Amino acid sequence: MADEKDREEIIVAEFHKKIKEAFEVFDHESNNTVDVREIGTIIRSLGCCPTEGELHDLIAEVEEEEPTGYIRFEKFLPVMTEILLERKYRPIPEDVLLRAFEVLDSAKRGFLTKEELIKYMTEEGEPFSQEEMEEMLSAAIDPESNSINYKDYITMMVIDEN
């Protein structure tokens, strides 16, 4: 039983180190706080992919009673450690992403036009914000064809996550 406890302590220590390193990148004042707007980036840099709703809930959990616009490391650390231990907000597997794009590509062309992508991402499900849409388009759209070859895009996204 001691081995199991030792292993968990080592894993937690590793997570604490990774979380601290990710947090420090955005702790510009070196005072153990980051701008609340950076929390999503920090969480994603740790391999987690929460939805905007999940991110909003998470921020509410680590914010001060009276929100200051900043998140303190000591409040963020235990919450983020728990997320990593529970393997929450895992990235969607490549085959699932591919099937999702294939459903949208009813003509089975292997690509979506920029217009189709914008329509699906802003009018269906949990809509992308203007900023999220611009970020995705800059990464996903081939400027020559003005379309997204989704197999290439998924490969690029999965490589970025690792």
Side-chain angles (χ1 to χ4, degrees), residues 112-119 133 137 141 145-148:
L112 295 171
T113 65
K114 180 179 179 179
E115 291 71 29
E116 289 169 326
L117 187 64
I118 291 171
K119 179 181 183 299
M133 197 67 243
L137 291 174
I141 296 295
S145 65
N146 212 26
S147 65
I148 173 177

Side-chain angles (χ1 to χ4, degrees), residues 20 23-36 38 42 64 68-76:
K20 183 149 185 62
F23 195 91
E24 284 176 344
V25 170
F26 295 96
D27 182 6
H28 303 299
E29 307 291 322
S30 299
N31 62 357
N32 286 327
T33 65
V34 294
D35 188 306
V36 68
E38 304 290 5
I42 294 168
E64 301 298 319
T68 60
Y70 290 89
I71 302 296
R72 290 181 332 179
F73 180 70
E74 59 267 21
K75 286 197 81 166
F76 181 72

Side-chain angles (χ1 to χ4, degrees), residues 135-153:
E135 194 176 311
M136 182 179 187
L137 291 174
S138 72
I141 296 295
D142 171 25
E144 287 180 28
S145 65
N146 212 26
S147 65
I148 173 177
N149 177 321
Y150 50 80
K151 284 183 181 148
D152 293 348
Y153 180 64

Side-chain angles (χ1 to χ4, degrees), residues 6-146:
D6 289 346
R7 241 184 72 238
E8 182 160 324
E9 283 177 13
I10 291 167
I11 290 168
V12 168
E14 277 296 306
F15 284 160
H16 282 188
K17 184 173 178 264
K18 283 182 177 174
I19 294 165
K20 183 149 185 62
E21 287 170 357
F23 195 91
E24 284 176 344
V25 170
F26 295 96
D27 182 6
H28 303 299
E29 307 291 322
S30 299
N31 62 357
N32 286 327
T33 65
V34 294
D35 188 306
V36 68
R37 294 168 295 192
E38 304 290 5
I39 289 296
T41 305
I42 294 168
I43 291 169
R44 289 183 191 98
S45 78
L46 292 164
C48 297
C49 301
T51 64
E52 285 303 308
E54 290 166 335
L55 183 59
H56 184 78
D57 293 346
L58 218 137
I59 288 170
E61 193 176 337
V62 296
E63 248 180 342
E64 301 298 319
E65 299 292 323
E66 295 290 321
T68 60
Y70 290 89
I71 302 296
R72 290 181 332 179
F73 180 70
E74 59 267 21
K75 286 197 81 166
F76 181 72
L77 181 66
V79 172
M80 195 64 219
T81 302
E82 195 66 26
I83 288 168
L84 293 176
L85 283 171
E86 292 177 7
R87 302 178 64 80
K88 282 176 141 177
Y89 315 128
R90 302 309 301 154
I92 298 168
E94 194 170 345
D95 60 320
V96 175
L97 287 171
L98 181 59
R99 283 199 305 274
F101 273 110
E102 286 171 343
V103 166
L104 299 176
D105 177 20
S106 53
K108 304 288 178 248
R109 302 168 299 186
F111 67 89
L112 295 171
T113 65
K114 180 179 179 179
E115 291 71 29
E116 289 169 326
L117 187 64
I118 291 171
K119 179 181 183 299
Y120 292 132
M121 301 313 271
T122 58
E123 296 176 15
E124 308 287 329
E126 188 177 327
F128 273 39
S129 68
Q130 182 71 34
E131 187 181 334
E132 290 169 322
M133 197 67 243
E134 286 169 11
E135 194 176 311
M136 182 179 187
L137 291 174
S138 72
I141 296 295
D142 171 25
E144 287 180 28
S145 65
N146 212 26

